[in-house]
Coordinates of all heavy atoms in Angstrom, one line a residue:
G18 N -16.1 8.9 12.8 CA -17.1 9.6 12.2 C -18.3 9.7 13.1 O -19.5 10.0 12.7
A19 N -18.2 9.3 14.3 CA -19.4 9.3 15.2 C -19.9 10.7 15.4 O -19.2 11.7 15.6 CB -19.0 8.6 16.5
P20 N -21.2 10.9 15.5 CA -21.8 12.2 15.7 C -21.7 12.7 17.1 O -21.4 12.0 18.1 CB -23.4 11.9 15.4 CG -23.6 10.5 15.9 CD -22.3 9.8 15.5
V21 N -21.7 14.0 17.1 CA -21.5 14.7 18.4 C -22.8 15.4 18.8 O -23.3 16.2 17.9 CB -20.3 15.8 18.3 CG1 -20.4 16.6 19.7 CG2 -19.0 15.0 18.1
A22 N -23.4 15.2 19.9 CA -24.6 15.8 20.3 C -24.4 16.7 21.5 O -23.3 16.6 22.1 CB -25.7 14.9 20.5
A23 N -25.4 17.4 22.0 CA -25.2 18.3 23.1 C -26.3 18.3 24.1 O -27.1 19.2 24.2 CB -25.0 19.8 22.5
Q24 N -26.5 17.2 24.8 CA -27.6 17.2 25.7 C -27.3 16.2 26.9 O -28.2 16.0 27.7 CB -28.8 16.6 25.1 CG -28.7 15.3 24.3 CD -29.9 14.9 23.4 OE1 -30.7 15.7 23.2 NE2 -30.1 13.6 23.1
S25 N -26.0 15.7 27.1 CA -25.8 15.0 28.2 C -25.4 15.9 29.5 O -25.1 17.0 29.2 CB -24.7 14.0 28.0 OG -23.5 14.4 28.6
P26 N -25.6 15.4 30.7 CA -25.3 16.2 31.9 C -23.8 16.6 32.0 O -23.0 15.9 31.4 CB -25.9 15.5 33.0 CG -25.7 14.0 32.5 CD -26.1 14.0 31.0
E27 N -23.5 17.5 32.9 CA -22.1 17.7 33.3 C -21.4 16.5 33.8 O -22.0 15.5 34.4 CB -22.0 18.8 34.3 CG -22.6 20.2 33.7 CD -21.7 20.8 32.7 OE1 -20.4 21.0 33.1 OE2 -22.0 21.0 31.6
M28 N -20.1 16.4 33.6 CA -19.4 15.3 34.3 C -19.6 15.2 35.7 O -19.5 16.1 36.4 CB -17.8 15.5 34.0 CG -17.0 14.5 34.4 SD -15.2 14.8 34.1 CE -15.3 14.6 32.2
Q29 N -19.9 14.0 36.2 CA -20.0 13.7 37.6 C -18.7 13.1 38.1 O -17.9 12.8 37.5 CB -21.1 12.6 37.7 CG -22.4 12.9 37.0 CD -23.0 14.2 37.6 OE1 -23.1 14.3 38.9 NE2 -23.5 15.1 36.7
A30 N -18.7 13.1 39.5 CA -17.5 12.6 40.2 C -17.1 11.3 39.8 O -16.0 10.9 39.6 CB -17.6 12.8 41.6
A31 N -18.1 10.4 39.6 CA -17.9 9.0 39.3 C -18.2 8.9 37.7 O -19.4 9.0 37.4 CB -18.7 8.1 40.0
T32 N -17.2 8.7 37.0 CA -17.5 8.6 35.6 C -17.9 7.1 35.2 O -17.5 6.2 35.8 CB -16.2 8.9 34.6 OG1 -15.2 8.1 35.1 CG2 -15.7 10.3 34.9
T33 N -18.8 7.1 34.1 CA -19.6 5.8 33.9 C -19.3 5.4 32.4 O -19.6 4.2 32.1 CB -21.0 5.8 34.2 OG1 -21.6 6.9 33.4 CG2 -21.2 6.1 35.6
T34 N -18.7 6.2 31.7 CA -18.6 5.8 30.1 C -17.1 6.0 29.8 O -16.4 6.8 30.4 CB -19.4 6.6 29.3 OG1 -19.0 8.1 29.3 CG2 -20.9 6.7 29.7
G35 N -16.8 5.4 28.7 CA -15.4 5.6 28.1 C -15.1 7.1 27.7 O -14.1 7.6 28.1
F36 N -16.1 7.8 27.2 CA -15.9 9.3 27.0 C -15.6 10.1 28.2 O -14.8 10.8 28.3 CB -17.1 9.8 26.3 CG -17.1 11.3 26.1 CD1 -16.6 11.8 25.1 CD2 -17.8 12.1 27.1 CE1 -16.5 13.2 24.9 CE2 -17.7 13.5 26.9 CZ -17.1 14.1 25.8
D37 N -16.5 9.8 29.2 CA -16.3 10.5 30.6 C -15.0 10.2 31.2 O -14.3 11.1 31.7 CB -17.4 10.0 31.6 CG -18.8 10.6 31.2 OD1 -18.8 11.5 30.5 OD2 -19.8 9.9 31.6
R38 N -14.6 9.0 31.1 CA -13.2 8.6 31.7 C -12.1 9.3 31.0 O -11.2 9.8 31.6 CB -13.1 7.1 31.7 CG -11.9 6.6 32.4 CD -11.9 5.1 32.7 NE -12.0 4.3 31.4 CZ -11.0 3.8 30.7 NH1 -9.8 4.1 31.1 NH2 -11.2 3.1 29.6
R39 N -12.1 9.2 29.7 CA -10.9 9.8 28.9 C -11.0 11.4 28.9 O -10.0 12.0 29.0 CB -11.0 9.4 27.5 CG -10.7 7.9 27.4 CD -9.4 7.5 28.0 NE -9.1 6.1 27.7 CZ -8.0 5.4 28.3 NH1 -7.3 6.0 29.1 NH2 -7.8 4.1 28.1
A40 N -12.3 12.0 29.0 CA -12.3 13.4 29.1 C -11.8 13.8 30.5 O -11.0 14.9 30.5 CB -13.7 13.8 29.0
A41 N -12.0 13.1 31.5 CA -11.5 13.4 32.9 C -10.0 13.3 32.9 O -9.4 14.0 33.8 CB -12.1 12.5 33.9
Q42 N -9.4 12.5 32.0 CA -7.8 12.3 32.0 C -7.1 13.3 31.1 O -6.0 13.3 31.1 CB -7.6 10.9 31.5 CG -8.0 9.8 32.5 CD -7.8 8.4 31.9 OE1 -7.7 8.3 30.7 NE2 -7.7 7.4 32.8
L43 N -7.9 14.2 30.4 CA -7.3 15.0 29.4 C -6.2 15.9 29.9 O -5.2 16.1 29.4 CB -8.4 15.6 28.5 CG -7.9 16.4 27.3 CD1 -7.0 15.6 26.4 CD2 -9.0 17.0 26.6
V44 N -6.6 16.6 31.0 CA -5.6 17.6 31.7 C -4.4 16.8 32.0 O -3.3 17.2 31.8 CB -6.3 18.3 32.8 CG1 -5.2 19.1 33.6 CG2 -7.4 19.2 32.3
D45 N -4.5 15.7 32.7 CA -3.3 15.0 33.1 C -2.6 14.5 32.0 O -1.3 14.5 32.0 CB -3.7 13.8 34.0 CG -4.2 14.1 35.3 OD1 -3.9 15.3 35.8 OD2 -5.0 13.3 36.0
L46 N -3.1 14.1 30.8 CA -2.4 13.7 29.6 C -1.6 14.8 29.1 O -0.4 14.7 28.9 CB -3.4 13.3 28.6 CG -2.7 13.0 27.1 CD1 -2.1 11.7 27.2 CD2 -3.8 13.2 26.0
L47 N -2.2 16.1 29.0 CA -1.4 17.2 28.4 C -0.4 17.7 29.4 O 0.7 18.3 28.9 CB -2.4 18.3 28.1 CG -3.4 18.0 27.0 CD1 -4.3 19.2 26.8 CD2 -2.8 17.5 25.8
N48 N -0.5 17.4 30.7 CA 0.5 17.8 31.6 C 1.6 16.7 31.8 O 2.5 16.8 32.7 CB 0.0 18.1 33.0 CG -0.7 19.4 32.9 OD1 -0.3 20.4 32.3 ND2 -1.8 19.6 33.8
G49 N 1.5 15.6 31.0 CA 2.6 14.6 31.0 C 2.4 13.6 32.1 O 3.4 12.8 32.4
E50 N 1.2 13.5 32.7 CA 1.1 12.7 33.9 C 0.4 11.4 33.5 O 0.3 10.4 34.4 CB 0.2 13.4 35.0 CG 0.9 14.6 35.5 CD 0.0 15.4 36.4 OE1 -1.1 14.9 36.7 OE2 0.5 16.6 36.8
I51 N 0.0 11.2 32.3 CA -0.5 9.9 31.8 C 0.2 9.6 30.4 O 0.5 10.4 29.6 CB -2.0 10.0 31.5 CG1 -2.8 10.2 32.8 CG2 -2.6 8.8 30.7 CD1 -4.3 10.4 32.6
A52 N 0.6 8.3 30.4 CA 1.4 7.9 29.3 C 0.6 8.0 27.9 O -0.6 7.6 27.9 CB 1.9 6.5 29.4
Y53 N 1.3 8.6 26.9 CA 0.7 8.6 25.6 C 0.0 7.3 25.0 O -1.1 7.2 24.6 CB 1.7 9.2 24.6 CG 1.4 9.1 23.2 CD1 0.8 10.2 22.6 CD2 1.8 8.1 22.3 CE1 0.4 10.1 21.1 CE2 1.5 8.1 21.0 CZ 0.8 9.1 20.4 OH 0.6 9.1 19.1
A54 N 0.9 6.2 25.2 CA 0.4 4.9 24.7 C -0.8 4.3 25.5 O -1.6 3.6 25.0 CB 1.5 3.9 24.8
D55 N -0.9 4.8 26.8 CA -2.1 4.3 27.6 C -3.3 5.0 27.3 O -4.4 4.6 27.5 CB -1.8 4.5 29.1 CG -0.7 3.6 29.6 OD1 -0.3 2.6 28.9 OD2 -0.1 3.9 30.6
Y56 N -3.1 6.3 26.7 CA -4.4 7.1 26.4 C -4.9 6.9 25.0 O -6.1 6.9 24.8 CB -4.0 8.6 26.7 CG -5.2 9.5 26.7 CD1 -6.0 9.7 27.8 CD2 -5.5 10.2 25.6 CE1 -7.0 10.6 27.8 CE2 -6.6 11.1 25.5 CZ -7.4 11.3 26.7 OH -8.4 12.1 26.6
F57 N -4.0 6.8 24.0 CA -4.5 6.8 22.6 C -4.3 5.4 22.0 O -3.5 4.5 22.3 CB -3.5 7.7 21.8 CG -3.7 9.1 22.0 CD1 -2.6 9.9 22.7 CD2 -4.8 9.8 21.7 CE1 -2.8 11.2 22.9 CE2 -5.1 11.0 21.9 CZ -4.0 11.8 22.6
D58 N -5.4 5.1 21.2 CA -5.5 3.8 20.5 C -4.4 3.7 19.4 O -3.8 4.7 19.0 CB -6.9 3.8 19.8 CG -7.3 2.5 19.2 OD1 -7.7 1.6 19.8 OD2 -7.0 2.2 17.9
P59 N -3.9 2.5 19.1 CA -2.8 2.4 18.2 C -3.1 2.9 16.8 O -2.3 3.5 16.2 CB -2.8 0.8 18.0 CG -3.2 0.3 19.3 CD -4.3 1.2 19.7
T60 N -4.4 3.1 16.4 CA -4.8 3.8 15.1 C -4.4 5.3 15.3 O -3.8 5.8 14.3 CB -6.2 3.7 14.8 OG1 -7.0 4.1 15.9 CG2 -6.6 2.2 14.6
F61 N -4.6 5.8 16.4 CA -4.2 7.3 16.6 C -2.6 7.4 16.7 O -2.2 8.3 16.0 CB -4.8 7.8 17.9 CG -4.8 9.3 18.1 CD1 -5.7 10.2 17.9 CD2 -3.5 9.8 18.6 CE1 -5.6 11.5 18.1 CE2 -3.3 11.1 18.7 CZ -4.4 12.1 18.5
Q62 N -2.0 6.5 17.4 CA -0.6 6.5 17.5 C 0.1 6.4 16.2 O 1.1 7.1 15.9 CB -0.1 5.4 18.4 CG -0.5 5.5 19.8 CD -0.2 4.4 20.6 OE1 1.1 4.0 20.7 NE2 -1.0 3.8 21.5
A63 N -0.5 5.6 15.2 CA 0.1 5.5 13.9 C 0.0 6.7 13.1 O 0.8 7.0 12.3 CB -0.6 4.3 13.2
A64 N -1.2 7.4 13.3 CA -1.4 8.6 12.5 C -0.6 9.8 13.1 O -0.2 10.7 12.4 CB -2.9 8.9 12.4
L65 N -0.5 9.9 14.3 CA 0.2 10.9 15.0 C 1.3 10.4 16.0 O 0.9 10.2 17.2 CB -0.8 11.9 15.7 CG -0.2 13.3 16.3 CD1 0.2 14.1 15.1 CD2 -1.3 14.0 17.0

Side-chain angles (χ1 to χ4, degrees):
V21 174
Q24 57 187 15
S25 103
E27 295 288 303
M28 180 180 292
Q29 304 299 316
T32 58
T33 57
T34 70
F36 172 84
D37 290 336
R38 183 165 61 90
R39 294 305 183 184
Q42 295 173 336
L43 186 53
V44 171
D45 288 341
L46 171 77
L47 297 180
N48 284 329
E50 297 171 8
I51 292 178
Y53 169 87
D55 291 341
Y56 190 83
F57 290 112
D58 187 83
T60 55
F61 188 102
Q62 296 180 44
L65 188 67

